[in-house]
Amino acid sequence: MNKVQVIGTGSYVPPKIVNNNDLSCIVDTSDEWISSRTGIKERRISEGENTADMASKAAMKAIENANIKVEDIDLIIVGTATPDSFIPSTACIVQSNIKAVNATCFDISAACSGFIYSLDIATQFIRSGSCRTALVIGAETLSKIINWEDRNTCVLFGDGAAAAILKTSDIEGILSIFRGSDGSKGKALVSDAIPVKNPYVSKENLDKQMDSTIKMDGREVFKFAVKIITQGVEKLLEDSNCSLEDIKYIVPHQANFRIIESAAKKLGVSEEKFYLNLDRFGNTSAASVGIALDDMVEQNLIQRGDKILLIGFGGGLTYGGIIIQW
Ligand code: UT7
């Protein structure tokens, strides 16, 4: 089995900053409510860039930071719930944009767990010898599926993209992986695609309406998130023979600081152990863990040999985590 290392990260967020006061001009909300209930202060919103545009920019930064040639990349995986198109995949558009001519490309749909699932899949490809150098991306233009009249959801999300390069290595950089799904709770977080419309559609299905905007049972997702972070952290530590003291940072999906407060309490660990930047970017779904990771790299918070625990959860419902040794 080949060993795998993360050798570079990158991220990109659109320049337009929308703060909580800006949102209070659109819906009946306030900076006080959003800050105290979520920890979010501002988010980046696309002024027209789509998911593949942002994904390509994050990818180019990761390639530069990893110091590899674009032609070395033989796998591109994009985790996204907001692709540019049904066909082609966002990964294929990225391939064309960055000219990664030797890559096999596909998207995966795991909502906010998309970056973790993609890291996991790329790890398995490299371990098995199916590929050597993978570009993993989490990218979202959530602003295009937000219901901008729904104060319950429109204040939570932001746009952005993050990327990581994984490569075969002499040193093992992936110490444990945790993953799972619970489709029975899928209705807790929904964004519909398009209805069935064809010349043969039955009468009762003819007028079926579908709506792509996000609908969420916030409390249900909140409970699920706290449970999964707690279980996931414990399982990842057990599988890697690590203790919480061995972990420099836990990098969670950036949804709500109160979720982290509750999970930290249950785990008996200081909130300081969790890296959060949701105050600046909100919840960017599949991009959030990667944006946080790249943010930490840019601030020099991670040194070679450090152990970092990533943990994500989201629509599906899906969840996953990874311990990386830097
Ligand atoms: O990537 C995973 C995606 N989702 C999540 O991680 C979400 C997890 N859930 C959460 O973060 C929280 O449940 C929310 C932030 C979504 C909501 O917080 P909450 O403390 O569970 O609030 P709530 O939904 O119970 O709403 C409390 C009140 C309600 O008013 P009433 O019915 O008590 O009069 C809401 O209508 O707050 C009201 N409210 C707002 N008020 C001002 C809901 N949204 C807003 C808002 N501004 N933006």
Side-chain angles (χ1 to χ4, degrees), residues 57-109:
K57 288 178 184 169
M60 287 311 292
K61 283 193 190 164
I63 290 163
E64 195 185 316
N65 287 339
N67 201 16
I68 57 160
K69 292 204 281 290
V70 175
E71 303 79 51
D72 294 343
I73 297 167
D74 48 11
L75 179 68
I76 302 178
I77 308 176
V78 178
T80 186
T82 50
D84 293 26
S85 44
F86 287 138
I87 305 168
S89 68
T90 308
C92 279
I93 303 172
V94 170
Q95 175 188 34
S96 170
N97 288 348
I98 68 172
K99 302 188 174 40
V101 290
N102 296 315
T104 299
C105 310
F106 56 88
D107 291 357
I108 64 117
S109 169

Side-chain angles (χ1 to χ4, degrees), residues 85-155:
S85 44
F86 287 138
I87 305 168
S89 68
T90 308
C92 279
I93 303 172
V94 170
Q95 175 188 34
S96 170
N97 288 348
I98 68 172
K99 302 188 174 40
V101 290
N102 296 315
T104 299
C105 310
F106 56 88
D107 291 357
I108 64 117
S109 169
C112 309
S113 312
F115 191 71
I116 306 275
Y117 271 38
S118 301
L119 286 174
D120 181 0
I121 297 165
T123 299
Q124 309 310 334
F125 267 69
I126 295 174
R127 281 189 173 158
S128 73
S130 290
C131 79
R132 295 181 60 79
T133 309
L135 166 61
V136 163
I137 300 171
E140 303 283 10
T141 320
L142 290 167
S143 59
K144 65 186 179 182
I145 59 164
I146 286 171
N147 176 353
W148 288 97
E149 291 175 358
D150 177 12
R151 69 175 182 175
N152 291 290
T153 52
C154 77
V155 301

Side-chain angles (χ1 to χ4, degrees), residues 29 33 37 112 151-152 216 218-219 253 255-256 258 283:
T29 192
W33 192 96
R37 297 284 180 133
C112 309
R151 69 175 182 175
N152 291 290
M216 182 175 67
R219 287 188 182 179
H253 168 48
N256 185 326
R258 288 192 297 132
N283 178 346

Side-chain angles (χ1 to χ4, degrees), residues 265-282:
K265 206 166 161 195
K266 285 199 166 187
L267 285 163
V269 62
S270 157
E271 287 160 32
E272 308 286 297
K273 194 94 171 174
F274 288 82
Y275 184 79
L276 293 180
N277 63 6
L278 58 86
D279 55 326
R280 287 180 286 142
F281 303 116

